Amino acid sequence: MEYVPITKPPVDQMPVLPNLRDYGETRRHWSWDTVRNELDGVPGGGLNKAYECLDRHAKGDRRDKPAMLWEGKNGERETYTFAEFAREANKAANGLSSLGVEKGDRVFMFLERIPECYFTAFGTLKLGAVIGPLFSAFGPDAVKDRLADSGAKVLVTTPELWSRVKEIRSDLPGLEHIVLVTRRQQAEPGDGIVLWDEVVGSQSDDFETVSTDPENYSVMHYTSGTTGKPKGAAHVHNAIIGQYATGKYVLDLHDEDVYWCTADPGWVTGTSYGMFAPWSNGATSLVYEGGFGANTWYSLIEKYKVTVWYTAPTAIRMLMKAGDDIPKKHDLSSLRYTMSVGEPLNPEAVVWSERVLGLPFHDNWWQTETGCILIANYPALEIRPGSMGRPFPGIEPGIIDEDGKLMPPGEEGNLAVRPGWPSMFRTYWNNKPLYDSRFQNGWYITGDRARMDADGYFWFVGRADDVINTAGHLVGPFEVESVLIEHPAVAEAGVIGKPDPVAMEVVKAFVALKDGYEADEKLRRELIRFSRDRLGAMIAPREIEFVPGLPKTRSGKIMRRLLKARELGLPEGDTSTLED
Ligand code: AMP
């Protein structure tokens, strides 16, 4: 079906003048140096994300402006101005420093969206150490793999979450301290376990942000590939340039805005756009700890008078499912601009939101590795529903063939980007060869398939690999297969993404059993529970199908592509490398 483009009024007639007024002109004259000059830099030299997000505002006119409006899952409310936020981050920096954290050390956060998560993040960055945010729904294996690979020195968590994973402790000799935030549940210190209130609570709220080099590491996010366990995509302080610029021109943040990013900091959107973009732009940001609920979400927009809203296609599809009557019961008139990221945004969702909310969702594209938005629909430009939009100024994407040659408009190929933008990842932790392999013929290869139309709008086609996108989160099949084969009944396992109308894909496992085990409902449920307990509900398979054996190449690799084709009833394609 053809969707009609959604046109916009001329910029000077828009109720709020967009920051990006002339796309073509800005693109032609773009300079990252100009953006860098809008940031302050640490006095005495260097660039530090915490300085740009907190210190510079805490020292200036925005000191008493709310930076974070927090609402807890039980309805608790707290507000932190930029000055208060900076002081809390200073206390965290002093506390972590008292535990021996130094520049370059990794501090991991296994926390729900509570204020201490944000204090830890910025306290760590102030010290010049590196943050590693973990999704709070992870199970012990998922947490252990990431802590072990990164060599984390400190884990900040809560008693509830720690009790879920504490069995991993003996496998992590490098993990020196576990800091428990006892906001909701008390705990006892002991054996490397310390309490936030004791370590951080009594610290001075004065701390001078360390002068980090723009190329020093700042944040690492584990992301999934086709093979091997998740890899730590490491970003540097320089990334703040891209995050600030896209916050200004894609999120279109203005001083009056109340911005809400629904993503969790365990995923890159929750840091780049839940922390760095809004706060480097001095915006007021809502942080809601609780999960999805159509009524709750609309109520939050109404209560906090949210103006700019950044969410994800799965959530939008759930809002659509919840019906058109719920939004009518709320005053959503504060909203002026809405965006979406993480998975393809169906054109129907754009049309729906325009009809029901009076605002179309603006899709944009990026990935953990890119650190910031690279392709977007902008407030001032026409939206083509179903398209991810046009390149950000200063970004040169291309559709290329297997030899790295540019393909003409309209043709499908690999989505690639010319390297060199400020927020590009700098390595996969402990895996430089894999990092290097992502760059070919002068391009960064994104792993996505796409096409570009004659006007330069990009259209997502699919992944070029077996990585699964469930509710906007990437899951590597290998991580799931590895856990399944640890179960005594499992001989082998192959994992794919099965299409789903809401979550886009759900994780499905094909399992071949060892002799002597019965493929029955009880075992199926046990395997699902077994994977959930180890990986967490988001990564674990939602569905398990027992099969006598799995299709493999002659070299013994499971052919997930074939499993997927069979699942979808599609032609099986080239099976010449299939094992006899
Ligand atoms: P992650 O690194 O977890 O943020 O996931 C990045 C991947 O999510 C991309 O490589 C795409 O496969 C997918 N993705 C992100 N944004 C979009 C979008 N707007 N449209 C389609 N796919 C997207």
Side-chain angles (χ1 to χ4, degrees):
M1 174 171 166
E2 275 289 303
Y3 285 86
V4 188
I6 298 175
T7 51
K8 307 283 182 67
V11 284
D12 54 1
Q13 288 169 31
M14 295 180 98
V16 175
L17 279 186
N19 286 327
L20 189 65
R21 292 184 200 160
D22 188 332
Y23 174 79
E25 195 60 17
T26 313
R27 214 168 140 62
R28 264 189 300 284
H29 299 293
W30 185 260
S31 148
W32 289 113
D33 287 341
T34 311
V35 181
R36 167 67 184 84
N37 288 335
E38 291 178 24
L39 298 172
D40 283 6
V42 186
L47 189 65
N48 187 298
K49 287 181 163 173
Y51 193 89
E52 300 309 324
C53 291
L54 299 185
D55 298 359
R56 69 178 184 141
H57 306 306
K59 286 182 187 169
D61 294 345
R62 294 194 180 106
R63 75 174 69 85
D64 297 322
K65 176 180 174 174
M68 174 163 53
L69 308 173
W70 180 75
E71 180 156 331
K73 60 183 173 194
N74 304 322
E76 315 93 306
R77 290 174 74 168
E78 290 170 20
T79 298
Y80 297 89
T81 63
F82 278 99
E84 289 163 342
F85 195 168
R87 285 201 292 272
E88 294 296 336
N90 287 345
K91 284 162 77 170
N94 285 318
L96 291 166
S97 168
S98 76
L99 295 179
V101 174
E102 293 174 355
K103 201 169 175 174
D105 286 341
R106 272 79 61 212
V107 173
F108 270 58
M109 304 165 348
F110 184 46
L111 290 168
E112 280 160 335
R113 290 183 294 277
I114 54 176
E116 289 81 357
C117 172
Y118 299 83
F119 304 155
T120 304
F122 285 99
T124 303
L125 293 168
K126 278 173 161 276
L127 273 170
V130 182
I131 58 168
L134 296 172
F135 187 44
S136 58
F138 280 164
D141 282 23
V143 173
K144 184 179 74 184
D145 285 346
R146 288 155 175 84
L147 292 178
D149 183 68
S150 64
K153 192 171 191 173
V154 173
L155 177 70
V156 183
T157 183
T158 59
E160 299 92 321
L161 292 175
W162 178 240
S163 68
R164 193 199 296 158
V165 302
K166 61 176 186 263
E167 68 196 56
I168 65 179
R169 181 69 199 282
S170 54
D171 295 328
L172 297 166
L175 184 63
E176 292 177 15
H177 302 281
I178 291 121
V179 183
L180 297 182
V181 178
T182 53
R183 174 180 271 273
R184 295 210 175 96
Q185 191 183 322
Q186 294 312 305
E188 290 300 319
D191 187 25
I193 298 195
V194 292
L195 304 184
W196 174 274
D197 286 345
E198 285 171 14
V199 174
V200 174
S202 56
Q203 295 289 343
S204 152
D205 62 9
D206 223 14
F207 183 88
E208 205 149 307
T209 298
V210 166
S211 167
T212 37
D213 186 273
E215 287 302 311
N216 287 160
Y217 291 123
S218 56
V219 180
M220 60 195 299
H221 275 285
Y222 277 80
T223 182
S224 298
T226 319
T227 53
K229 295 279 179 104
K231 295 119 188 92
H235 292 276
V236 294
H237 283 277
N238 205 46
I240 195 68
I241 298 174
Q243 290 150 356
Y244 165 77
T246 48
K248 180 171 172 181
Y249 295 119
V250 182
L251 308 185
D252 194 43
L253 293 171
H254 289 60
D255 238 327
E256 316 65 68
D257 279 319
V258 176
Y259 164 76
W260 183 26
C261 169
T262 58
D264 187 90
W267 311 102
V268 73
T269 306
T271 55
S272 289
Y273 294 98
M275 299 184 187
F276 305 128
W279 288 324
S280 62
N281 276 277
T284 298
S285 196
L286 169 65
V287 173
Y288 174 56
E289 186 195 4
F292 176 84
N295 204 29
T296 314
W297 278 27
Y298 292 128
S299 304
L300 287 165
I301 292 171
E302 181 171 11
K303 190 186 324 175
Y304 291 95
K305 299 197 171 23
V306 172
T307 58
V308 176
W309 187 26
Y310 195 17
T311 188
T314 294
I316 299 168
R317 289 190 287 267
M318 293 200 289
L319 291 173
M320 289 169 76
K321 243 178 117 180
D324 299 358
D325 288 340
I326 309 182
K328 285 193 200 125
K329 294 189 190 123
H330 298 271
D331 177 4
L332 305 177
S333 58
S334 58
L335 272 182
R336 70 169 182 89
Y337 179 44
T338 52
M339 287 157 293
S340 160
V341 75
E343 5 154 13
L345 179 64
N346 3 9
E348 309 87 68
V350 180
V351 174
W352 170 83
S353 72
E354 202 187 26
R355 182 171 57 78
V356 175
L357 307 178
L359 298 165
F361 273 100
H362 293 67
D363 189 14
N364 50 64
W365 177 93
W366 60 295
Q367 351 171 264
T368 303
E369 288 86 345
T370 71
C372 76
I373 296 167
L374 298 192
I375 297 175
N377 287 283
Y378 304 86
L381 291 193
E382 164 183 306
I383 295 181
R384 301 197 175 167
S387 160
M388 311 188 286
R390 297 169 77 178
F392 189 71
I395 300 295
E396 196 195 328
I399 302 296
I400 60 169
D401 65 15
E402 300 307 323
D403 301 322
K405 279 212 290 297
L406 272 176
M407 302 182 71
E411 287 198 23
E412 178 191 323
N414 293 315
L415 175 59
V417 187
R418 290 277 183 216
W421 67 97
S423 60
M424 193 178 84
F425 72 139
R426 296 297 195 266
T427 196
Y428 285 122
W429 207 255
N430 299 327
N431 205 340
K432 181 82 167 39
L434 181 71
Y435 175 78
D436 291 340
S437 74
R438 298 293 297 266
F439 298 87
Q440 289 162 23
N441 304 308
W443 292 98
Y444 162 67
I445 312 294
T446 68
D448 284 352
R449 307 271 301 163
R451 61 192 167 77
M452 184 188 79
D453 67 22
D455 301 316
Y457 279 78
F458 283 76
W459 301 74
F460 182 80
V461 175
R463 290 284 309 181
D465 56 24
D466 295 333
V467 173
I468 300 157
N469 188 330
T470 181
H473 305 312
L474 297 192
V475 174
F478 181 80
E479 189 178 13
V480 186
E481 291 159 1
S482 309
V483 161
L484 279 168
I485 57 173
E486 279 173 29
H487 190 280
V490 176
E492 48 188 21
V495 167
I496 62 157
K498 177 182 166 175
D500 180 84
V502 175
M504 183 166 135
E505 292 186 313
V506 292
V507 179
K508 170 161 184 180
F510 292 85
V511 168
L513 295 177
K514 288 187 189 148
D515 287 346
Y517 286 91
E518 181 118 10
D520 58 13
E521 198 44 42
K522 187 163 162 263
L523 183 56
R524 190 199 317 276
R525 277 205 300 272
E526 184 181 319
L527 289 177
I528 290 183
R529 200 175 333 109
F530 178 81
S531 329
R532 276 199 187 160
D533 286 350
R534 282 157 179 251
L535 294 167
M538 207 220 74
I539 309 179
R542 182 102 59 95
E543 237 182 76
I544 288 185
E545 183 174 329
F546 293 116
V547 286
L550 292 169
K552 287 197 247 26
T553 61
R554 289 201 188 100
S555 60
K557 266 171 66 180
I558 292 168
M559 292 186 86
R560 301 188 190 108
R561 232 159 251 277
L562 209 66
L563 288 171
K564 188 146 183 175
R566 286 180 188 167
E567 172 72 30
L568 301 178
L570 294 174
E572 297 192 356
D574 181 7
T575 53
S576 57
T577 57
L578 194 62
E579 192 184 49
D580 294 329

